[in-house]
Amino acid sequence: MGKKISKINLILINAFLVRIIVLICIVVLADMLPAYGLRGNFVEADDYRYEQGAVEYAHSAEGLIDVETFTEIFDSMGDHTGHHLFSLPEFISWSPLWYWIVCILVYITKWRWSIRILNILLVTFSVKFVYKLTQYVYGEKTALLAANLMAYLPYIVLFSCFSYKDCLIMFCTFFLWYFFVKRKYEGSNTWQDYSGVVICTVLLFLTRSGLSFILLGILLVYYYFDKICDVIKDGIRGLKENRRFNKKLVGLAVIFVLVCVLVVLYRAPLMRKFAAYITNDNNFEGLGFGALAKIRSFKDIWKLPLTLTLAILQPIGFDGGIASWGNLISVVNIVMCPVAVGCLLYIIRRDKPDRPCFWFMMLYYMISAVPSVLIFRHLFSVLPIPLIACSDFLSRASAKQRKWWMALSGCLMLAVAAVFVFT
């Protein structure tokens, strides 16, 4: 008798197969719903532009790397990424790596759907690393539930069947979380883990420049959190006893200064993202109810629970018709209401394993959600964070707490439906 397939491997196989079936449906139903972009076949949609540009590049490029053809093709779509390839600060700021990945992939395979297969594989492996890191922190029950949610929730399935770069960002993000969690819990990593960290770090810096610095900073602070706390306590104790600063405290101060220097050096991409997603008034035009959840300054911090809820539910809405796969999933995504409620209830729960891990994850999620609360593609890569929180809440909840969760989830679903039907 052959070796029995483990539960997580079965989830991974099913996750891959479900996405392949959905991709086949997208291709077969192309006459009914646009197949080249989640929101439609138009160049303003990032996924369509990536993929269509790659197809045209494969037909026109004179070699595997043809910068002139690359620039001309994306210029014709109103995308000037090709003009920012030869300066490292501009390259980091404009994050063009995904453009090149898809262009080279389609050039080699001569098949536009190869990008979708790549994304399906990336998200499937993301399920694996979310499972592993969750298993370390929260245990097997929570890890399996989080993996199942990632494998089968409609939005995650459908999104991974299109050409957004956020599938790669999700993979890199949670491989890095897995690496640091594993090292903290086991005290060691394999050479494959270290190789993966180098690759994922480079990929993140060249695909999501601004948040990459923040993520790495959060991961390092999480890993050294206990030591940092001990050094600070020792330093405060030394001040009270009129002793000199110890070497560790001085070292911590030096690291802090170096981080500040890096922020100054790369302030251009950070400020560009800040201006684009928070302070730009154009981002608030036509948002309707969503504008109420948008935090524009520190005085709006009271909106944070609403912002987190709406971020978890994205994309959601009903425009009166189904003209794209994006419209369809915006209606179906009301099923995320129980996840949002579970996550919020877990935030106020006291008995959390490894509290620093949870709060650093939530910090990163909030940093992502506040500027991008209504930009669903930016939130996809961090969606496992509320899924993990909801999973651990359900794994540890009493019967009474589960009843409250179900009741509040029902109320939220009714409220969301009422808002979009009557506004």
Side-chain angles (χ1 to χ4, degrees):
M1 184 179 291
K3 186 178 180 180
K4 185 178 179 181
I5 299 176
S6 66
K7 291 181 179 179
I8 182 56
N9 285 338
L10 186 60
I11 292 171
L12 295 175
I13 293 169
N14 289 340
F16 178 78
L17 293 177
V18 165
R19 284 158 174 77
I20 292 295
I21 292 170
V22 171
L23 179 57
I24 292 171
C25 292
I26 291 169
V27 176
V28 171
L29 299 175
D31 291 336
M32 299 175 60
L33 293 174
Y36 297 154
L38 180 62
R39 294 186 296 135
N41 298 346
F42 50 89
V43 295
E44 290 78 13
D46 289 354
D47 58 335
Y48 175 84
R49 192 169 65 255
Y50 297 143
E51 186 175 299
Q52 191 60 33
V55 170
E56 294 182 20
Y57 180 86
H59 290 159
S60 305
E62 295 182 359
L64 190 64
I65 305 296
D66 186 340
V67 174
E68 184 177 351
T69 300
F70 176 92
T71 303
E72 289 175 356
I73 286 171
F74 286 103
D75 274 352
S76 69
M77 299 181 182
D79 188 327
H80 303 298
T81 299
H83 297 276
H84 304 278
L85 302 178
F86 301 105
S87 165
L88 182 59
E90 287 191 12
F91 196 94
I92 292 175
S93 179
W94 285 83
S95 310
L97 181 62
W98 182 249
Y99 292 82
W100 280 109
I101 290 173
V102 297
C103 285
I104 291 170
L105 181 61
V106 177
Y107 182 88
I108 293 172
T109 63
K110 306 302 180 184
W111 191 46
R112 74 182 303 145
W113 307 106
S114 59
I115 305 172
R116 318 287 185 96
I117 301 298
L118 172 62
N119 271 352
I120 287 172
L121 288 170
L122 287 169
V123 174
T124 301
F125 281 109
S126 297
V127 175
K128 176 182 178 180
F129 290 114
V130 167
Y131 165 82
K132 285 188 170 185
L133 76 88
T134 305
Q135 188 182 42
Y136 278 115
V137 179
Y138 301 103
E140 180 73 5
K141 186 177 179 181
T142 298
L144 285 173
L145 181 52
N148 273 299
L149 289 174
M150 284 192 66
Y152 303 120
L153 278 172
Y155 170 55
I156 301 180
V157 171
L158 187 64
F159 190 97
S160 55
C161 293
F162 286 87
S163 299
Y164 286 105
K165 67 179 179 180
D166 302 85
C167 297
L168 174 63
I169 295 168
M170 174 188 280
F171 172 82
C172 294
T173 298
F174 287 94
F175 181 88
L176 290 174
W177 270 109
Y178 154 76
F179 175 88
F180 281 95
V181 166
K182 179 183 179 183
R183 183 157 186 84
K184 186 169 184 178
Y185 278 77
E186 288 192 356
S188 62
N189 293 91
T190 64
W191 69 267
Q192 293 96 332
D193 290 337
Y194 284 105
S195 300
V197 164
V198 173
I199 293 170
C200 287
T201 301
V202 172
L203 289 173
L204 270 182
F205 270 73
L206 300 180
T207 51
R208 181 59 59 82
S209 57
L211 282 175
S212 302
F213 295 97
I214 296 171
L215 174 62
L216 288 174
I218 287 174
L219 286 169
L220 288 170
V221 173
Y222 162 68
Y223 180 71
Y224 291 106
F225 184 72
D226 294 335
K227 293 180 181 179
I228 291 172
C229 290
D230 289 341
V231 169
I232 293 174
K233 288 178 182 177
D234 189 44
I236 293 173
R237 191 182 303 114
L239 286 174
K240 290 181 178 179
E241 296 173 0
N242 294 320
R243 288 192 285 113
R244 296 175 64 186
F245 284 87
N246 60 42
K247 293 181 180 179
K248 291 182 178 179
L249 192 59
V250 173
L252 189 62
V254 170
I255 292 172
F256 177 77
V257 171
L258 289 175
V259 170
C260 292
V261 170
L262 283 174
V263 170
V264 171
L265 289 176
Y266 293 99
R267 64 187 181 278
L270 293 172
M271 294 307 297
R272 188 169 68 85
K273 303 292 185 182
F274 182 82
Y277 299 122
I278 294 183
T279 61
N280 186 356
D281 288 336
N282 293 331
N283 285 331
F284 303 94
E285 294 178 0
L287 297 185
F289 175 77
L292 296 177
K294 184 73 175 179
I295 295 176
R296 301 179 64 178
S297 64
F298 285 109
K299 68 180 181 181
D300 292 333
I301 199 68
W302 62 271
K303 297 180 180 180
L304 191 56
L306 183 59
T307 301
L308 291 177
T309 302
L310 191 56
I312 296 169
L313 299 182
Q314 289 300 313
I316 194 163
F318 183 64
D319 297 327
I322 306 296
S324 69
W325 290 100
N327 292 142
L328 179 61
I329 203 61
S330 294
V331 176
V332 175
N333 220 33
I334 197 170
V335 300
M336 289 297 291
C337 287
V339 173
V341 171
C343 179
L344 293 175
L345 289 175
Y346 192 69
I347 288 174
I348 62 176
R349 188 185 181 99
R350 292 184 178 180
D351 56 331
K352 302 181 184 73
D354 196 346
R355 290 186 182 182
C357 182
F358 170 76
W359 287 115
F360 281 121
M361 275 193 169
M362 283 307 303
L363 173 62
Y364 186 62
Y365 186 80
M366 287 186 285
I367 290 171
S368 303
V370 167
S372 303
V373 62
L374 297 170
I375 307 174
F376 68 89
R377 65 188 186 277
H378 289 181
L379 296 169
F380 178 80
S381 64
V382 291
L383 186 54
I385 294 173
L387 295 184
I388 292 170
C390 178
S391 298
D392 201 51
F393 171 79
L394 293 175
S395 297
R396 300 175 188 279
S398 63
K400 183 178 180 180
Q401 290 170 336
R402 284 175 175 265
K403 288 179 181 178
W404 273 106
W405 169 71
M406 288 188 287
L408 292 172
S409 297
C411 291
L412 181 59
M413 293 176 79
L414 291 173
V416 169
V419 166
F420 287 108
V421 168
F422 297 110
T423 59

